[in-house]
Amino acid sequence: MSKSGIVNVRMVITEEKILSNIDKIQKLINPKSKKQIVQLEDDSYFKDLIESIKTYLIEYPKKKNFPASVYKAAYGLVEFATNQFEENTKRIEELIRQREQNIALAAQLKDLLELAENKDSEWKDKVKKAEDSFAEDIIDTLNIVGKAKDDTTEDYQDAVKLLNARINNLETNLHIEIDMERIEDRSKALSYIGIEIADALKSIPTPIEEPEVNTITEEAPVQQANTNTIEEEQQYAQETTFEAKPSLWERIKQSKFVRAIRAITRIRIVFDYSDALPEGRGEANQ
């Protein structure tokens, strides 16, 4: 076997391995998968998969002959990651609205409790109007406090404790904070794909698949066949060229998610706002 033949066999094996790694990453970031990325900083397996794909894209010797199957799979991975990141954006916005609503409800419930404890003349009307905002058990507990003639009874004390606990839960939003932290980790992983793989894809010309060879009959002139082939190639290039669509990084920068997490939440993702994708392992050029 010739030396070039050995190289070709190795490249075929590598191509299959890279396709397998891309599939593994796709599963790790798929929200429907049982095993998902949890902590990006601690997940060396995930980083190693990304690094293997990035290295393959960058170090492939003949970019013009780059395997179309790997290009399509890598491109599809970036697109999938982009879509998932934008889904995270929507979820974050929902959580932010829910958190704001909870904080407002906590303030309202605190006021109602104070009115009921002080036997304010309007406490019954205020509690009645709040029935659409709070569950039945909360309304009942407020009524217990408001109607109590002795604030030393066990029922009274239990009612006040229950209401204060509910106020605290609404103010702290612990379950929302946990959800946001999980989304943060997923978003870090998704943006990591954008930084590492999307940038590497830019160095590779869009592979053009060989058109199927058809027998040209008298009804299909050669000139017309060539024209159709050129048009098909142009259409394919337009649809698959990575630069033809907004990159993951651009869509992340434009996302409301970035503004939202900076202004309202405690999520600690730092984005680079340079025009190009960061190089290397995601560190922006100074």
Side-chain angles (χ1 to χ4, degrees):
M1 181 180 290
S2 64
K3 184 176 180 180
S4 60
I6 295 175
V7 173
N8 289 336
V9 170
R10 290 178 61 188
M11 291 308 296
V12 169
I13 295 173
T14 304
E15 178 181 342
E16 292 175 351
K17 178 64 176 177
I18 293 301
L19 288 173
S20 174
N21 288 353
I22 291 175
D23 182 65
K24 291 175 182 177
I25 295 174
Q26 190 112 359
K27 291 178 179 177
L28 286 173
I29 64 174
N30 190 328
K32 296 181 180 180
S33 297
K34 292 182 179 179
K35 184 179 180 181
Q36 298 181 33
I37 181 74
V38 178
Q39 293 288 343
L40 177 63
E41 291 86 352
D42 302 330
D43 200 325
S44 59
Y45 173 70
F46 177 81
K47 287 185 176 181
D48 288 344
L49 289 174
I50 296 291
E51 186 65 26
S52 70
I53 298 167
K54 176 187 172 183
T55 301
Y56 185 88
L57 294 172
I58 293 175
E59 297 184 0
Y60 195 88
K62 295 181 180 180
K63 296 291 195 293
K64 291 183 179 180
N65 297 328
F66 192 86
S69 60
V70 175
Y71 184 91
K72 284 183 177 180
Y75 179 88
L77 177 62
V78 173
E79 282 291 291
F80 184 78
T82 302
N83 293 334
Q84 288 301 310
F85 189 97
E86 291 175 343
E87 286 299 316
N88 282 2
T89 299
K90 296 176 184 177
R91 179 57 181 154
I92 280 289
E93 291 174 344
E94 291 173 359
L95 289 173
I96 289 171
R97 286 193 294 270
Q98 184 180 342
R99 179 168 142 172
E100 290 176 338
Q101 290 171 359
N102 287 351
I103 292 173
L105 287 173
Q108 183 182 358
L109 184 55
K110 187 180 294 185
D111 289 341
L112 290 172
L113 175 57
E114 184 177 351
L115 292 173
E117 284 180 311
N118 295 331
K119 306 299 186 289
D120 187 277
S121 60
E122 296 184 353
W123 80 265
K124 288 184 180 180
D125 292 336
K126 294 288 181 67
V127 170
K128 180 68 176 177
K129 291 178 181 179
E131 288 180 353
D132 292 336
S133 300
F134 297 99
E136 184 178 353
D137 64 322
I138 295 298
I139 299 299
D140 291 342
T141 307
L142 283 168
N143 284 320
I144 291 174
V145 174
K147 294 177 181 179
K149 295 180 180 180
D150 184 357
D151 60 7
T152 63
T153 65
E154 185 176 350
D155 287 345
Y156 181 92
Q157 295 296 330
D158 289 344
V160 171
K161 287 181 181 179
L162 187 150
L163 291 170
N164 280 323
R166 186 62 59 91
I167 291 170
N168 182 66
N169 288 339
L170 289 170
E171 286 179 334
T172 58
N173 291 288
L174 182 60
H175 64 290
I176 292 180
E177 296 296 337
I178 292 173
D179 286 346
M180 289 176 118
E181 287 181 3
R182 290 173 178 170
I183 294 175
E184 172 192 2
D185 289 317
R186 278 183 44 77
S187 294
K188 283 182 178 180
L190 295 170
S191 60
Y192 190 73
I193 292 173
I195 294 168
E196 300 296 319
I197 297 182
D199 199 26
L201 272 172
K202 290 183 177 180
S203 65
I204 301 172
T206 304
I208 303 296
E209 293 180 335
E210 292 294 331
E212 294 182 3
V213 179
N214 297 323
T215 302
I216 301 174
T217 63
E218 294 181 359
E219 289 77 10
V222 174
Q223 185 177 359
Q224 183 64 37
N226 291 338
T227 301
N228 291 340
T229 300
I230 293 173
E231 290 177 352
E232 290 173 0
E233 291 179 355
Q234 290 175 342
Q235 181 179 356
Y236 173 81
Q238 184 178 4
E239 293 176 351
T240 60
T241 299
F242 187 78
E243 295 294 340
K245 298 180 180 180
S247 69
L248 172 63
W249 194 248
E250 287 301 319
R251 288 164 72 176
I252 288 175
K253 289 199 299 182
Q254 296 168 8
S255 173
K256 294 180 181 178
F257 177 58
V258 176
R259 297 192 296 273
I261 62 177
R262 285 183 166 184
I264 303 176
T265 75
R266 295 195 303 241
I267 293 181
R268 301 167 299 280
I269 306 177
V270 179
F271 293 95
D272 171 59
Y273 278 78
S274 59
D275 292 333
L277 283 169
E279 296 180 355
R281 299 193 61 81
E283 297 180 0
N285 293 329
Q286 300 296 325

